[in-house]
Amino acid sequence: MRKLIDLNKKFAWIALLCCATIAIFHALPQKSFAVTAADWRAGNIIDDALFYDKNSMSVGEIQAFLNGKVPVCDTAGSKPSEYGGGTRAQYGASKGYPAPFVCLKDYYENPSTKANNLHGNPIPAGGISAAQIIWNVSQQFGVSPKVMLVMLHKESDRLMIDDWPWSTQYRTAMGYGCPDSGPNYSANCNPNDYGFYTQMYSAARQFRLYANSPSSYNYIAG
């Protein structure tokens, strides 16, 4: 998550987050059906067959989905800042996050070195797209890419729909290693868990651990 200096940008979207998260899952490629309040079952929010369907989306479908969320990225930050201070580039620079900005659909990272194309860097050698990263970890741990996308939107401070994201949104994209504890939720994130690939990998791995050892955790199915 971004640091406290970006509270204005973050909290402006909190009211929309819950509805948007639900909408994302239903916007993903799938059969259409009507949902009513009567369908809600607290102990069965999603079936395992759906949650762990690693083949629910291809790399191309994930990429097309991300493209659709942000058709045009304000890479140069040329649009007026929603928070004052001139353009987005000027506002970002004043907070320590200068342009160019890289949208999720255009993000690349080398999983081994963590080198990426943020901060104006070129696509690194061995770099793969965010869509490929999401698909790879979904295949490795047998988790639905749809689940990974919904969790990413819920945890990443609107990274999926942001047309001028900051590097901190990639750093803790899935909220992994960032416990909701400490006075006023002041517990620090673990720097060892920073990075988009590490976040996606760790989250998918944790979902697999939940499935493999359900009795080892406080919150279980049912």
Side-chain angles (χ1 to χ4, degrees):
M1 298 296 177
R2 291 185 181 173
K3 295 180 179 179
L4 293 179
I5 55 175
D6 191 35
L7 284 177
N8 288 337
K9 190 174 184 186
K10 178 177 179 180
F11 290 142
W13 290 86
I14 287 179
L16 300 176
L17 184 55
C18 292
C19 291
T21 300
I22 295 171
I24 280 180
F25 195 89
H26 289 292
L28 296 169
Q30 57 190 321
K31 292 182 179 179
S32 298
F33 58 92
V35 178
T36 68
D39 296 317
W40 173 257
R41 297 291 184 273
N44 185 23
I45 298 173
I46 180 173
D47 291 340
D48 283 358
L50 296 176
F51 197 97
Y52 294 103
D53 180 9
K54 67 178 184 180
N55 297 315
S56 63
M57 296 179 78
S58 66
V59 177
E61 288 173 331
I62 297 172
Q63 185 64 58
F65 181 75
L66 297 180
N67 292 346
K69 296 296 102 178
V70 181
V72 180
C73 185
D74 187 14
T75 305
S78 58
K79 293 182 179 181
S81 168
E82 296 90 331
Y83 315 104
T87 66
R88 289 171 165 181
Q90 291 171 324
Y91 180 83
S94 73
K95 300 299 183 181
Y97 301 99
F101 305 113
V102 178
C103 292
L104 185 61
K105 68 186 180 71
D106 304 316
Y107 179 79
Y108 283 78
E109 181 178 332
N110 181 316
S112 298
T113 66
K114 293 190 177 182
N116 56 57
N117 62 329
L118 296 177
H119 309 296
N121 294 323
I123 295 175
I128 59 177
S129 67
Q132 186 72 59
I133 290 172
I134 293 169
W135 188 86
N136 284 359
V137 299
S138 296
Q139 297 303 300
Q140 183 172 356
F141 294 106
V143 178
S144 171
K146 293 181 182 181
V147 168
M148 299 302 292
L149 287 168
V150 170
M151 287 297 297
L152 176 62
H153 183 61
K154 182 176 79 72
E155 296 288 347
S156 69
D157 190 12
R158 60 184 284 269
L159 172 61
M160 188 185 298
I161 60 173
D162 201 338
D163 65 346
W164 62 299
W166 293 359
S167 58
T168 49
Q169 289 167 262
Y170 289 95
R171 189 175 69 182
T172 54
M174 294 293 273
Y176 189 88
C178 294
D180 294 331
S181 59
N184 297 316
Y185 301 101
S186 62
N188 293 324
C189 297
N190 186 341
N192 293 328
D193 295 318
Y194 285 169
F196 185 77
Y197 174 79
T198 299
Q199 286 283 302
M200 301 306 298
Y201 173 94
S202 299
R205 177 178 178 273
Q206 191 63 49
F207 286 143
R208 175 47 55 190
L209 290 175
Y210 290 147
N212 291 349
S213 304
S215 62
S216 299
Y217 301 94
N218 291 330
Y219 301 99
I220 62 176

PDB file of all heavy atoms in Angstrom, residues 9-22:
ATOM      1  N   LYS A   9      -5.338  10.105  -2.133  1.00  0.00           N
ATOM      2  CA  LYS A   9      -5.587   9.289  -3.319  1.00  0.00           C
ATOM      3  C   LYS A   9      -6.196   7.958  -2.962  1.00  0.00           C
ATOM      4  O   LYS A   9      -7.040   7.430  -3.663  1.00  0.00           O
ATOM      5  CB  LYS A   9      -4.275   9.079  -4.084  1.00  0.00           C
ATOM      6  CG  LYS A   9      -4.492   8.439  -5.443  1.00  0.00           C
ATOM      7  CD  LYS A   9      -3.210   8.377  -6.241  1.00  0.00           C
ATOM      8  CE  LYS A   9      -3.492   7.809  -7.625  1.00  0.00           C
ATOM      9  NZ  LYS A   9      -2.285   7.598  -8.400  1.00  0.00           N
ATOM     10  N   LYS A  10      -5.795   7.398  -1.831  1.00  0.00           N
ATOM     11  CA  LYS A  10      -6.269   6.072  -1.431  1.00  0.00           C
ATOM     12  C   LYS A  10      -7.712   6.112  -0.949  1.00  0.00           C
ATOM     13  O   LYS A  10      -8.564   5.366  -1.430  1.00  0.00           O
ATOM     14  CB  LYS A  10      -5.366   5.516  -0.333  1.00  0.00           C
ATOM     15  CG  LYS A  10      -5.809   4.158   0.188  1.00  0.00           C
ATOM     16  CD  LYS A  10      -4.810   3.666   1.210  1.00  0.00           C
ATOM     17  CE  LYS A  10      -5.248   2.322   1.776  1.00  0.00           C
ATOM     18  NZ  LYS A  10      -4.295   1.816   2.760  1.00  0.00           N
ATOM     19  N   PHE A  11      -8.009   6.985  -0.006  1.00  0.00           N
ATOM     20  CA  PHE A  11      -9.315   6.959   0.620  1.00  0.00           C
ATOM     21  C   PHE A  11     -10.421   7.455  -0.301  1.00  0.00           C
ATOM     22  O   PHE A  11     -11.595   7.183  -0.066  1.00  0.00           O
ATOM     23  CB  PHE A  11      -9.290   7.793   1.904  1.00  0.00           C
ATOM     24  CG  PHE A  11      -8.481   7.152   2.989  1.00  0.00           C
ATOM     25  CD1 PHE A  11      -7.691   7.919   3.836  1.00  0.00           C
ATOM     26  CD2 PHE A  11      -8.497   5.775   3.163  1.00  0.00           C
ATOM     27  CE1 PHE A  11      -6.951   7.329   4.824  1.00  0.00           C
ATOM     28  CE2 PHE A  11      -7.753   5.182   4.162  1.00  0.00           C
ATOM     29  CZ  PHE A  11      -6.978   5.957   5.004  1.00  0.00           C
ATOM     30  N   ALA A  12     -10.066   8.147  -1.359  1.00  0.00           N
ATOM     31  CA  ALA A  12     -11.080   8.602  -2.306  1.00  0.00           C
ATOM     32  C   ALA A  12     -11.774   7.438  -2.988  1.00  0.00           C
ATOM     33  O   ALA A  12     -12.847   7.569  -3.546  1.00  0.00           O
ATOM     34  CB  ALA A  12     -10.452   9.518  -3.352  1.00  0.00           C
ATOM     35  N   TRP A  13     -11.139   6.260  -2.936  1.00  0.00           N
ATOM     36  CA  TRP A  13     -11.679   5.098  -3.649  1.00  0.00           C
ATOM     37  C   TRP A  13     -12.244   4.029  -2.726  1.00  0.00           C
ATOM     38  O   TRP A  13     -12.826   3.049  -3.195  1.00  0.00           O
ATOM     39  CB  TRP A  13     -10.590   4.487  -4.520  1.00  0.00           C
ATOM     40  CG  TRP A  13     -10.251   5.374  -5.658  1.00  0.00           C
ATOM     41  CD1 TRP A  13      -9.350   6.401  -5.663  1.00  0.00           C
ATOM     42  CD2 TRP A  13     -10.835   5.363  -6.962  1.00  0.00           C
ATOM     43  NE1 TRP A  13      -9.333   7.008  -6.889  1.00  0.00           N
ATOM     44  CE2 TRP A  13     -10.223   6.402  -7.709  1.00  0.00           C
ATOM     45  CE3 TRP A  13     -11.801   4.556  -7.585  1.00  0.00           C
ATOM     46  CZ2 TRP A  13     -10.549   6.664  -9.020  1.00  0.00           C
ATOM     47  CZ3 TRP A  13     -12.127   4.817  -8.901  1.00  0.00           C
ATOM     48  CH2 TRP A  13     -11.509   5.866  -9.606  1.00  0.00           C
ATOM     49  N   ILE A  14     -12.087   4.162  -1.434  1.00  0.00           N
ATOM     50  CA  ILE A  14     -12.499   3.089  -0.526  1.00  0.00           C
ATOM     51  C   ILE A  14     -13.998   2.806  -0.648  1.00  0.00           C
ATOM     52  O   ILE A  14     -14.414   1.651  -0.620  1.00  0.00           O
ATOM     53  CB  ILE A  14     -12.117   3.433   0.921  1.00  0.00           C
ATOM     54  CG1 ILE A  14     -10.602   3.305   1.096  1.00  0.00           C
ATOM     55  CG2 ILE A  14     -12.842   2.536   1.909  1.00  0.00           C
ATOM     56  CD1 ILE A  14     -10.125   3.639   2.485  1.00  0.00           C
ATOM     57  N   ALA A  15     -14.798   3.861  -0.802  1.00  0.00           N
ATOM     58  CA  ALA A  15     -16.242   3.666  -0.882  1.00  0.00           C
ATOM     59  C   ALA A  15     -16.655   2.819  -2.069  1.00  0.00           C
ATOM     60  O   ALA A  15     -17.692   2.176  -2.065  1.00  0.00           O
ATOM     61  CB  ALA A  15     -16.947   5.028  -0.949  1.00  0.00           C
ATOM     62  N   LEU A  16     -15.820   2.837  -3.129  1.00  0.00           N
ATOM     63  CA  LEU A  16     -16.152   2.081  -4.335  1.00  0.00           C
ATOM     64  C   LEU A  16     -15.578   0.676  -4.335  1.00  0.00           C
ATOM     65  O   LEU A  16     -15.955  -0.154  -5.166  1.00  0.00           O
ATOM     66  CB  LEU A  16     -15.602   2.824  -5.574  1.00  0.00           C
ATOM     67  CG  LEU A  16     -16.132   4.235  -5.812  1.00  0.00           C
ATOM     68  CD1 LEU A  16     -15.431   4.851  -7.002  1.00  0.00           C
ATOM     69  CD2 LEU A  16     -17.628   4.214  -6.037  1.00  0.00           C
ATOM     70  N   LEU A  17     -14.661   0.377  -3.429  1.00  0.00           N
ATOM     71  CA  LEU A  17     -13.856  -0.837  -3.536  1.00  0.00           C
ATOM     72  C   LEU A  17     -14.679  -2.113  -3.419  1.00  0.00           C
ATOM     73  O   LEU A  17     -14.513  -3.032  -4.212  1.00  0.00           O
ATOM     74  CB  LEU A  17     -12.769  -0.827  -2.458  1.00  0.00           C
ATOM     75  CG  LEU A  17     -11.773  -1.989  -2.500  1.00  0.00           C
ATOM     76  CD1 LEU A  17     -11.127  -2.075  -3.869  1.00  0.00           C
ATOM     77  CD2 LEU A  17     -10.712  -1.810  -1.433  1.00  0.00           C
ATOM     78  N   CYS A  18     -15.558  -2.189  -2.439  1.00  0.00           N
ATOM     79  CA  CYS A  18     -16.305  -3.436  -2.239  1.00  0.00           C
ATOM     80  C   CYS A  18     -17.168  -3.772  -3.448  1.00  0.00           C
ATOM     81  O   CYS A  18     -17.160  -4.897  -3.941  1.00  0.00           O
ATOM     82  CB  CYS A  18     -17.181  -3.332  -0.991  1.00  0.00           C
ATOM     83  SG  CYS A  18     -16.237  -3.270   0.543  1.00  0.00           S
ATOM     84  N   CYS A  19     -17.889  -2.766  -3.951  1.00  0.00           N
ATOM     85  CA  CYS A  19     -18.740  -3.008  -5.116  1.00  0.00           C
ATOM     86  C   CYS A  19     -17.908  -3.353  -6.330  1.00  0.00           C
ATOM     87  O   CYS A  19     -18.262  -4.234  -7.122  1.00  0.00           O
ATOM     88  CB  CYS A  19     -19.598  -1.778  -5.406  1.00  0.00           C
ATOM     89  SG  CYS A  19     -20.862  -1.472  -4.144  1.00  0.00           S
ATOM     90  N   ALA A  20     -16.772  -2.672  -6.491  1.00  0.00           N
ATOM     91  CA  ALA A  20     -15.928  -2.919  -7.653  1.00  0.00           C
ATOM     92  C   ALA A  20     -15.328  -4.312  -7.611  1.00  0.00           C
ATOM     93  O   ALA A  20     -15.192  -4.981  -8.638  1.00  0.00           O
ATOM     94  CB  ALA A  20     -14.817  -1.876  -7.721  1.00  0.00           C
ATOM     95  N   THR A  21     -14.959  -4.774  -6.416  1.00  0.00           N
ATOM     96  CA  THR A  21     -14.375  -6.114  -6.290  1.00  0.00           C
ATOM     97  C   THR A  21     -15.360  -7.181  -6.739  1.00  0.00           C
ATOM     98  O   THR A  21     -15.021  -8.091  -7.482  1.00  0.00           O
ATOM     99  CB  THR A  21     -13.964  -6.369  -4.831  1.00  0.00           C
ATOM    100  OG1 THR A  21     -12.994  -5.395  -4.447  1.00  0.00           O
ATOM    101  CG2 THR A  21     -13.372  -7.760  -4.673  1.00  0.00           C
ATOM    102  N   ILE A  22     -16.609  -7.056  -6.292  1.00  0.00           N
ATOM    103  CA  ILE A  22     -17.629  -8.016  -6.703  1.00  0.00           C
ATOM    104  C   ILE A  22     -17.864  -7.928  -8.201  1.00  0.00           C
ATOM    105  O   ILE A  22     -17.983  -8.937  -8.901  1.00  0.00           O
ATOM    106  CB  ILE A  22     -18.941  -7.759  -5.930  1.00  0.00           C
ATOM    107  CG1 ILE A  22     -18.728  -8.019  -4.437  1.00  0.00           C
ATOM    108  CG2 ILE A  22     -20.065  -8.633  -6.462  1.00  0.00           C
ATOM    109  CD1 ILE A  22     -19.892  -7.603  -3.571  1.00  0.00           C
TER     110      ILE A  22
END
